[in-house]
Amino acid sequence: MSLRCPQPARLALVAACLFPGHAALAQDLDPSDAGPPDAVEVPAAEDQAPASRAAAREVYVPEDFERFAPRNAADLIEEIPGFEIDNSGGGRGFGQAQENLLINGARISSKSTSTAEQLARIPVSNVIRIEVVDGATLDIPGLSGRVANIIVEQGGLSGQFEYRPEFYSGVANPNVFEGELSVSGQTGPVDFTIAFENGTFYRGSEGPAIFTDAAGVVDARNNLSRGDSNRPTLNGQFQVDLGPEAIANLNLSGGLQIFRSEEIERRIASNPLDPFNERFIASNDEWFYEIGADIEFPLGPGRLKLIGLEAYEDGDFATRSLLQLGGVPDSGTRFTRLSEEGERIGRAEYGWGMWGADWQVSGEAAFNRLDQVGRLFAYDPDVQNYVEIPFPAGAGGVREDRYEALLSVGFPVTERLSVQLIGGGEYSQIAQTGANALSRTFQRPKGSLNIAWAAAEGLDINLEIARRVGQLQFGDFLASVNLTEDQENAGNNNLRPQQNWDFRLEASKNFGRWGSATLTLFDERIEDLVLIVPVFGGGEARGNIDSARRYGALLNGRLEMEPLGVRGAQLDVRLEIENSNLIDPVTALERRFDGNNPFQIEIDFRHDIPETDYAWGLGFRDTERARFYRVREAFFDHPPSTFGSVFVEHKDVFGATVGLRVGNVFDANTTLLRTVYAGPRNDSPVLFTEERRRDIGQTFRVTVAGNF
């Protein structure tokens, strides 16, 4: 049975039908009130895929968001009050589910494509409803807090397009290549979606770079930088109905990554020092593919799901610098890196019901590899070219074989209280080849306790206590060079994976026609945190420290403004406060994590003008910044701390939605404030300071989205 809830204008009738004993509820819902979408709380539908015991706390249908003129399923998710998409999965292997989005009760067997990206390719006409449930009530281990399950069905052949060119008042090159085109449909037992997209990143900045040495001599320069990145990718998702209760999925993707950047720094005309001209050029060319598949079918008293994935990436990175200084021979450095990365995953999940609970046992094997050849060159003015110099630590390889086994059980304690327990462990072997060959093994326990409590009408509280095991970046095992910042990392083959005890408490409150809010408190107790540490001989590399802590609060809410007399308007607020502490490996004093900002507030206002196709809005973000640290440096390096934007949108221009967004209306700049020491920061004098405040100008993005 499909349960399709009507739009808010008919909520009173729905309340009377679904909750016949709650006549007062039906009377409180005024059919003449065309306000914002209020979620309907309903029992789990018979065709609800996540789990038989998972009752949807909120149910939305496309008509609830009609005033936003949504084009696809992702547009609907963005408008769920107080809901924030979590794409924090990442890492190698599949592991437990972490994204808080599901499609028909399942996660997708792809790592290169997120669920949110896949939702952007599902036409809104194919969406039946969206169920927001407590993650701990699902039979999908690893989920907690609010989870959105999008129930869709395939329709006829249809397509979508979105074109997003962006132009800049600053020095950045115009971006005219970003967009996506997708087609979805059904042929026989196969549902398919094919999409071509180009993800881009174009940036540029220009402004003063002021250096002051230990003697107080000021060296005023001008710095200009540009960077362009394009990632054209072809994706294909195919679902095959194999018969009674058996479904197979195939996900394919492949494409290119093309990156180019340039940075030029010169002394200004009034600088009394000798002429100075330094140029950095970088490029990165990659090609990649991913093949992911899964099949799920009944077996014995439960269901078995088998997942496989093969991914590969081939990269060619190069960067070079050239310094021309009056009266001194030219100098410079060139660094190149050829790399091949691969991942192969096999995973099995078997779930069944027993003793009134949902059980699942899972096993996963993941095999990851990196082969890298890094080469270093110095500029020889006699031959006017770069000559290779020995760099043995830049070449080598890393292999990781990782195995995971977990058992989970989820069960209701009462009608309003559910518990999910997960326990198991991970075994991994990491082997490095090259200059410092070494092989090590790790055995780590992992698991979690998730509790979901429907404390009151419209109030849901979730608690998660988890033991997690992090993953190492393979590139940290090998040496690397950053020419633009004059930094070099030594390799470290003794790195250990980070481990966490994570505590997370989430409270979500639905205020009906006034909106909703979600408050999250978090506390992370970390062992073996990875950061820059000094190494023997005076260098620096990624290394581990014994313990650290990060904790704070996140408030995410929406105020619907119709009760205040502004029809069609809403105000979204996101407030994040955090603190962190660790013992600095150089000074032995307590400090914050690198770059973990103590405070951030985001405010977005949107007004869909009633009885018209127009919408407009404002955005504001303000961030308190935190420092980064290296052995010989302490610095701030960040984009604008205060950022504002405005937009206007027309929802029907020959059937398409057309919008214009202007960003950085406050004309904020990028900032680099750096203090460099002659040696380790704890006992060395300051060598020089650097202050860069580079203008980026305004951004002008045009969006044209439609269906065909």
Side-chain angles (χ1 to χ4, degrees):
M1 180 184 76
S2 286
L3 174 64
R4 187 177 179 88
C5 300
Q7 55 190 325
R10 294 177 294 196
L11 286 181
L13 178 61
V14 175
C17 294
L18 293 177
F19 306 99
H22 292 70
L25 174 62
Q27 294 170 1
D28 289 342
L29 295 170
D30 182 2
S32 66
D33 184 359
D38 289 343
V40 183
E41 299 198 4
V42 298
E46 292 178 11
D47 62 342
Q48 180 172 309
S52 59
R53 64 185 179 85
R57 301 298 181 198
E58 306 165 29
V59 174
Y60 301 92
V61 292
E63 291 83 358
D64 291 333
F65 307 100
E66 190 172 6
R67 68 182 171 97
F68 303 109
R71 297 283 176 178
N72 52 57
D75 292 341
L76 301 177
I77 295 296
E78 290 179 358
E79 299 305 332
I80 295 177
F83 186 82
E84 183 174 22
I85 295 174
D86 181 5
N87 286 324
S88 60
R92 296 183 293 276
F94 275 110
Q96 303 168 35
Q98 292 189 40
E99 285 186 300
N100 59 351
L101 296 173
L102 301 172
I103 300 177
N104 289 335
R107 55 175 178 154
I108 62 176
S109 58
S110 174
K111 296 185 67 181
S112 61
T113 300
S114 69
T115 307
E117 291 171 325
Q118 178 64 10
L119 290 173
R121 298 163 189 159
I122 298 176
V124 71
S125 58
N126 291 359
V127 177
I128 299 176
R129 66 184 181 275
I130 300 171
E131 304 168 344
V132 179
V133 300
D134 291 320
T137 65
L138 303 176
D139 61 359
I140 302 178
L143 294 177
S144 63
R146 300 176 79 203
V147 176
N149 178 34
I150 300 87
I151 306 299
V152 302
E153 62 181 358
Q154 191 60 267
L157 187 66
S158 62
Q160 297 185 85
F161 67 89
E162 187 166 335
Y163 179 48
R164 301 181 292 269
E166 193 168 59
F167 306 91
Y168 313 92
S169 64
V171 299
N173 294 321
N175 172 12
V176 296
F177 300 112
E178 180 168 338
E180 179 171 352
L181 176 69
S182 64
V183 177
S184 61
Q186 185 177 47
T187 175
V190 180
D191 294 341
F192 65 88
T193 299
I194 299 174
F196 177 78
E197 63 174 326
N198 185 39
T200 65
F201 184 82
Y202 280 57
R203 290 296 180 265
S205 60
E206 183 176 17
I210 310 299
F211 293 79
T212 306
D213 67 16
V217 176
V218 176
D219 182 0
R221 307 174 188 175
N222 184 75
N223 181 280
L224 182 149
S225 67
R226 293 189 182 95
D228 304 342
S229 176
N230 289 272
R231 191 177 176 89
T233 306
L234 183 63
N235 297 281
Q237 286 82 35
F238 306 89
Q239 184 176 90
V240 184
D241 186 351
L242 299 176
E245 301 184 71
I247 294 176
N249 294 279
L250 176 65
N251 298 283
L252 307 172
S253 67
L256 304 173
Q257 173 82 44
I258 305 166
F259 171 77
R260 299 289 184 272
S261 72
E262 178 183 40
E263 183 173 339
I264 300 173
E265 191 163 285
R266 297 187 177 97
R267 284 184 174 138
I268 63 175
S270 60
N271 192 326
L273 300 175
D274 291 336
F276 175 102
N277 184 8
E278 189 168 27
R279 185 182 186 191
F280 301 91
I281 296 177
S283 66
N284 190 32
D285 295 322
E286 299 178 359
W287 63 272
F288 58 89
Y289 70 82
E290 180 184 284
I291 303 170
D294 66 77
I295 182 170
E296 184 176 5
F297 53 89
L299 180 65
R303 295 181 64 82
L304 177 64
K305 186 172 185 177
L306 302 175
I307 307 172
L309 181 137
E310 168 75 19
Y312 178 80
E313 182 177 293
D314 184 289
D316 182 358
F317 173 78
T319 179
R320 69 179 189 268
S321 68
L322 182 63
L323 173 61
Q324 296 172 315
L325 191 60
V328 177
D330 294 350
S331 62
T333 306
R334 182 170 181 254
F335 174 69
T336 65
R337 182 178 62 229
L338 299 175
S339 62
E340 295 181 54
E341 296 184 64
E343 180 171 32
R344 188 168 293 158
I345 307 170
R347 181 176 177 86
E349 301 173 348
Y350 184 69
W352 73 100
M354 182 173 66
W355 303 328
D358 296 315
W359 297 78
Q360 186 190 89
V361 60
S362 65
E364 177 173 303
F367 308 99
N368 298 273
R369 63 195 184 276
L370 167 67
D371 292 299
Q372 175 179 301
V373 178
R375 303 170 66 189
L376 195 59
F377 304 78
Y379 187 80
D380 187 339
D382 294 332
V383 298
Q384 297 186 359
N385 207 344
Y386 297 87
V387 178
E388 187 168 5
I389 58 178
F391 190 55
V398 182
R399 299 287 187 276
E400 180 188 40
D401 298 343
R402 187 179 58 81
Y403 304 91
E404 176 191 271
L406 296 169
L407 174 66
S408 74
V409 57
F411 54 90
V413 179
T414 68
E415 289 185 357
R416 289 182 170 271
L417 184 68
S418 295
V419 174
Q420 184 184 86
L421 288 166
I422 304 171
E426 175 183 302
Y427 170 86
S428 64
Q429 181 181 51
I430 299 177
Q432 180 187 346
T433 62
N436 298 299
L438 182 66
S439 178
R440 295 168 297 147
T441 61
F442 299 94
Q443 299 89 29
R444 302 285 174 81
K446 60 195 306 185
S448 63
L449 165 66
N450 293 280
I451 300 174
W453 179 32
E457 190 74 18
L459 175 62
D460 296 300
I461 297 176
N462 294 271
L463 172 66
E464 179 186 43
I465 302 173
R467 178 64 169 179
R468 294 194 168 95
V469 180
Q471 296 180 349
L472 296 171
Q473 298 296 317
F474 285 172
D476 292 339
F477 287 81
L478 307 174
S480 62
V481 175
N482 184 333
L483 298 184
T484 58
E485 304 299 340
D486 194 24
Q487 297 169 349
E488 179 177 349
N489 284 354
N492 184 358
N493 60 0
N494 286 304
L495 282 170
R496 300 182 301 275
Q498 176 179 309
Q499 299 179 88
N500 285 31
W501 275 110
D502 291 348
F503 304 86
R504 184 181 181 93
L505 179 66
E506 179 182 284
S508 299
K509 175 62 177 173
N510 190 323
F511 296 101
R513 61 197 299 264
W514 287 92
S516 67
T518 300
L519 174 65
T520 304
L521 307 177
F522 60 89
D523 189 351
E524 301 173 2
R525 310 294 179 93
I526 304 170
E527 303 167 27
D528 293 327
L529 179 69
V530 177
L531 76 168
I532 294 291
V533 300
V535 297
F536 181 77
E540 55 189 5
R542 292 282 179 184
N544 298 101
I545 63 171
D546 291 337
S547 63
R549 185 184 178 194
R550 173 178 174 265
Y551 55 95
L554 171 65
L555 176 65
N556 186 18
R558 172 176 295 175
L559 172 64
E560 299 286 0
M561 304 189 73
E562 182 159 348
L564 299 176
V566 186
R567 289 182 58 204
Q570 64 189 38
L571 186 69
D572 291 305
V573 178
R574 186 181 190 276
L575 178 67
E576 184 169 8
I577 301 172
E578 76 156 53
N579 196 8
S580 58
N581 51 70
L582 59 84
I583 301 301
D584 190 293
V586 176
T587 65
L589 300 176
E590 187 175 287
R591 67 167 173 86
R592 299 183 56 86
F593 284 19
D594 290 344
N596 275 35
N597 300 318
F599 175 82
Q600 179 168 288
I601 184 169
E602 297 180 42
I603 301 174
D604 291 290
F605 171 80
R606 178 184 173 102
H607 185 201
D608 293 87
I609 303 173
E611 284 80 48
T612 77
D613 290 320
Y614 288 96
W616 68 281
L618 309 168
F620 174 81
R621 183 187 72 233
D622 188 64
T623 307
E624 180 185 349
R625 301 295 184 175
R627 285 187 177 187
F628 295 84
Y629 296 87
R630 297 179 68 90
V631 173
R632 298 179 178 85
E633 298 181 29
F635 58 96
F636 293 92
D637 187 5
H638 57 79
S641 292
T642 302
F643 187 87
S645 63
V646 297
F647 79 89
V648 62
E649 177 181 286
H650 194 290
K651 305 168 192 174
D652 189 6
V653 179
F654 301 106
T657 299
V658 178
L660 171 64
R661 178 182 180 274
V662 181
N664 195 28
V665 296
F666 301 128
D667 200 25
N669 50 39
T670 65
T671 301
L672 173 64
L673 304 175
R674 188 162 68 126
T675 301
V676 179
Y677 297 82
R681 288 180 283 110
N682 61 323
D683 58 4
S684 302
V686 172
L687 191 61
F688 66 87
T689 62
E690 177 182 6
E691 179 179 349
R692 293 188 196 176
R693 299 186 186 274
R694 296 177 292 188
D695 293 328
I696 60 175
Q698 283 71 48
T699 62
F700 304 88
R701 166 164 287 198
V702 179
T703 302
V704 182
N707 305 85
F708 58 90

